[in-house]
Amino acid sequence: MCSSDLSIAITLLAALIVLMIFFWVTEFKPMLGFIAVSPILLVLLWVLGAMTLLDIPYNVVTALITALSIGIGVDYTIHVIHRFTEELEHGKPLMDATTTTLSTTGSALIGSALTTALAFAVLLLSPLLPFQQFGLVTGITILFALIASIVVVPPMLLVWAAYHQWRAGMEH
């Protein structure tokens, strides 16, 4: 394992621990921390795969992307998780909570992600290749984080919530 792999692993582990503690303290649901962080593994794999397909080297400039992937990706997943749990707290059925989450928070994330990705895409106009690569990979990273937050997280939340509803039914 090279030092960048170790750094990524440490950052993901730290994010997982912090978010599990956060969700335990705020909602008594530490597993939501796992749901917030686990899709980011997919984002990292997608980004590194896209870099390979696009023949973009992993260097000092593009290495910043992994930290960005974790930061932006977790931010997006937290927004989706919070909206979903709010909808459940208002007594909405699982599918309604999911639909409302995706139509409100999901659409806000789409607008935010697209504008941020386009802002970084401006770097494609730079005369310096490392900046072009950084702009391209950052834009791709933001789009992958968006996809993970609106495609991967909701099914995970549905399974998590259905399990808790089932468990609550077993206790009564």
Side-chain angles (χ1 to χ4, degrees):
M1 182 179 275
C2 69
S3 65
S4 64
D5 293 341
L6 183 59
S7 297
I8 293 169
I10 290 170
T11 304
L12 282 170
L13 182 61
L16 176 63
I17 291 168
V18 167
L19 288 173
M20 288 184 85
I21 291 169
F22 170 78
F23 281 115
W24 179 68
V25 169
T26 60
E27 301 189 33
F28 303 110
K29 299 170 182 159
M31 199 61 185
L32 290 175
F34 176 79
I35 293 172
V37 172
S38 60
I40 306 314
L41 289 171
L42 284 175
V43 172
L44 289 170
L45 291 173
W46 294 341
V47 168
L48 295 173
M51 287 173 61
T52 300
L53 289 174
L54 297 170
D55 199 30
I56 297 174
Y58 190 77
N59 55 36
V60 173
V61 175
T62 55
L64 296 172
I65 307 299
T66 55
L68 191 64
S69 298
I70 295 167
I72 289 176
V74 166
D75 185 45
Y76 289 177
T77 61
I78 288 171
H79 285 298
V80 172
I81 290 168
H82 268 291
R83 183 56 187 250
F84 181 80
T85 58
E86 284 176 1
E87 294 301 319
L88 289 182
E89 288 169 6
H90 289 111
K92 284 197 175 177
L94 294 180
M95 291 310 293
D96 291 347
T98 303
T99 302
T100 302
T101 298
L102 290 174
S103 66
T104 56
T105 300
S107 62
L109 289 180
I110 289 170
S112 174
L114 291 178
T115 57
T116 306
L118 288 173
F120 278 103
V122 169
L123 291 173
L124 290 169
L125 303 174
S126 171
L128 301 173
L129 182 61
F131 286 145
Q132 292 173 7
Q133 293 171 337
F134 181 75
L136 177 62
V137 176
T138 303
I140 290 169
T141 298
I142 291 166
L143 295 176
F144 285 160
L146 171 67
I147 291 167
S149 68
I150 62 175
V151 174
V152 177
V153 173
M156 292 176 76
L157 288 170
L158 281 171
V159 170
W160 170 83
Y163 168 75
H164 281 282
Q165 287 181 354
W166 171 79
R167 200 174 93 195
M170 296 296 289
E171 292 173 358
H172 292 101

